[in-house]
Amino acid sequence: MLTIILEGRDMTALRVSKSEVEGAICTGIRKAYREYLRWTGDEGLHGAPEYLLTCAVARELVDVEEGCYVTLEAGMRETLEYANVCLDEVPRVTLRLDGRADVVLWVAPEVGQDGVPRAIVEVKNYLAEPGARLFEDVARLRDALELSVWCGGALEFGCLAFWLGVDEPRQKVRHDTPVAWLQHKSRRLWEVAQELVSLDGLEARLVQPKFYQGAYDDGTRYAWAPSVLVIEKPTE
């Protein structure tokens, strides 16, 4: 386990590129999808265990920049303490303080020196509709980041990483292609996430570098996208 950063260390020297983190997460999801497809012959990630995506994402994150490290299933309370987040007051129950974070991205200035957690990443193998699975992780990331902002902690942002795939749309009058159906579902997920974080002065941003398309043996089309909901402070 990386040790807590010493008080007084220059935090700006430990920043990580948000865009590179987003790209690494999407690359991990894409690789996990293609690997699972090869293993099963025809299944998307909706049937895969989440630890497959978690490990794939972690492999990419550790190579984002020199000095990046990851921990898996790290305790949330311990992670926030290492990020210099004040926990003197009782936090919201939605933070699930005694639970574990899927992936924590750490940054250290040099090999052997103390590091700090910069981002928390929650992972879902499949997410297509707003509901409890979306709410729980977005609320948790929101609560952790809000506390960090309030007390000047080290956390910079949070990410909800997931695979989103669709077949032919049910109502072709409204959405005539799988890509259009995918875009509709994506926008709905982003809208709900934005509602959940906006009252705390935060923003949600959905990152989907590319939509992929294909067809089954019977000609039925499908589309999918590696996706990351980024919970962050508003751009100044």
Side-chain angles (χ1 to χ4, degrees):
M1 174 67 69
L2 299 177
T3 54
I4 187 169
I5 187 171
L6 297 177
E7 186 175 355
R9 173 79 46 85
D10 180 10
M11 294 298 204
T12 60
L14 298 174
R15 294 197 179 280
V16 65
S17 168
K18 194 182 300 183
S19 62
E20 290 188 22
V21 170
E22 297 160 3
I25 292 173
C26 289
T27 296
I29 296 172
R30 176 175 53 81
K31 288 182 177 180
Y33 169 80
R34 290 181 171 164
E35 187 170 41
Y36 196 65
L37 190 68
R38 180 173 60 84
W39 291 351
T40 62
D42 63 355
E43 286 192 22
L45 289 174
H46 60 281
E50 284 181 359
Y51 62 76
L52 175 66
L53 275 79
T54 300
C55 291
V57 165
R59 288 191 190 100
E60 299 302 318
L61 284 176
V62 78
D63 291 329
V64 164
E65 292 179 3
E66 184 177 358
C68 285
Y69 303 90
V70 296
T71 50
L72 305 183
E73 298 294 329
M76 180 62 77
R77 183 187 299 274
E78 182 182 56
T79 297
L80 294 179
E81 288 174 348
Y82 286 174
N84 292 339
V85 174
C86 180
L87 299 175
D88 291 344
E89 296 185 9
V90 178
R92 294 169 175 163
V93 67
T94 45
L95 179 58
R96 291 175 283 146
L97 192 58
D98 292 327
R100 296 182 178 275
D102 291 335
V103 182
V104 177
L105 176 65
W106 296 68
V107 181
E110 294 180 13
V111 175
Q113 291 193 11
D114 299 340
V116 293
R118 277 310 198 182
I120 295 173
V121 182
E122 297 291 350
V123 180
K124 287 285 176 281
N125 61 331
Y126 175 65
L127 193 61
E129 301 290 345
R133 284 162 59 85
L134 175 71
F135 174 83
E136 289 174 0
D137 281 345
V138 169
R140 187 183 212 194
L141 295 170
R142 173 201 65 195
D143 296 347
L145 185 57
E146 191 272 337
L147 277 176
S148 184
V149 171
W150 175 73
C151 66
L155 283 180
E156 292 189 65
F157 57 99
C159 296
L160 173 55
F162 60 98
W163 180 81
L164 174 55
V166 299
D167 291 332
E168 296 278 0
R170 301 188 189 95
Q171 299 178 2
K172 292 194 175 184
V173 174
R174 297 181 60 188
H175 312 289
D176 59 349
T177 66
V179 169
W181 185 224
L182 187 68
Q183 290 173 327
H184 171 77
K185 286 182 173 290
S186 298
R187 180 167 184 81
R188 181 58 181 148
L189 291 170
W190 169 77
E191 288 174 343
V192 172
Q194 179 61 25
E195 290 175 6
L196 287 171
V197 305
S198 60
L199 291 180
D200 289 275
L202 302 175
E203 292 182 349
R205 180 166 48 85
L206 180 59
V207 178
Q208 293 173 314
K210 183 177 179 179
F211 289 168
Y212 296 86
Q213 303 178 65
Y216 299 109
D217 292 340
D218 63 1
T220 302
R221 298 174 298 170
Y222 63 86
W224 63 276
S227 308
V228 185
L229 267 168
V230 182
I231 311 304
E232 59 190 359
K233 295 174 287 186
T235 303
E236 296 180 358

